[in-house]
Amino acid sequence: DVQLQASGGGLVQVGGSLRLSCTASRFTFDDYVIGWFRQAPGKEREAVSCISVIDGSTYFTDSVKGRFSISNDNTRNTVYLQMNSLRPEDTAVYYCAFRWGTTITPILVSDFHHWGQGTQVTVSS
């Protein structure tokens, strides 16, 4: 069974940084995608960033390009989401999720069948 453990959220001021971690069960094969999603109160869950573990290709939603980065540490089975220059609109519960496959797009929430627990990110102004 796929298990994900997300951590790293917190309260930060505008312009600050946080690093989220998503540690996954250890797999024999690397043909999977880890995605970071977020959901703010009253809004739909949206994809923030994804990474294909096998080839390192990445995706970022437009609003975080240039501010967020995503990386994978195979030795730790952990994907990191580095969030810099945080803005109040980044405030949300962040979730990491897993799906099999090698291509990043299309990114559909419904394709991710395994989810970690959410971690709250709050950016104060």
Side-chain angles (χ1 to χ4, degrees), residues 85-96:
S85 303
L86 283 162
R87 305 168 179 170
E89 54 265 38
D90 295 317
T91 295
V93 177
Y94 283 69
Y95 301 89
C96 65

Side-chain angles (χ1 to χ4, degrees), residues 12-23:
V12 65
Q13 291 187 331
V14 170
S17 298
L18 284 172
R19 188 178 76 163
L20 305 184
S21 301
C22 179
T23 300

Side-chain angles (χ1 to χ4, degrees), residues 16-38:
S17 298
L18 284 172
R19 188 178 76 163
L20 305 184
S21 301
C22 179
T23 300
S25 313
R26 192 162 295 275
F27 306 108
T28 303
F29 304 104
D30 291 334
D31 55 338
Y32 60 92
V33 173
I34 295 291
W36 282 99
F37 296 78
R38 65 187 179 188

Side-chain angles (χ1 to χ4, degrees), residues 24-70:
S25 313
R26 192 162 295 275
F27 306 108
T28 303
F29 304 104
D30 291 334
D31 55 338
Y32 60 92
V33 173
I34 295 291
W36 282 99
F37 296 78
R38 65 187 179 188
Q39 188 164 19
K43 294 188 176 181
E44 292 187 355
R45 190 168 297 189
E46 65 167 342
V48 177
S49 181
C50 297
I51 186 167
S52 170
V53 171
I54 198 168
D55 65 9
S57 56
T58 59
Y59 161 87
F60 296 92
T61 192
D62 286 345
S63 63
V64 308
K65 285 180 180 177
R67 301 188 297 122
F68 290 13
S69 61
I70 190 169

Side-chain angles (χ1 to χ4, degrees), residues 74-118:
N74 283 326
T75 65
R76 299 177 184 267
N77 257 41
T78 300
V79 170
Y80 301 100
L81 183 69
Q82 178 67 44
M83 306 186 297
N84 299 327
S85 303
L86 283 162
R87 305 168 179 170
E89 54 265 38
D90 295 317
T91 295
V93 177
Y94 283 69
Y95 301 89
C96 65
F98 170 102
R99 67 162 170 83
W100 292 109
T102 57
T103 58
I104 291 290
T105 57
I107 300 172
L108 301 174
V109 173
S110 57
D111 286 342
F112 289 79
H113 298 295
H114 303 279
W115 294 80
Q117 85 287 5

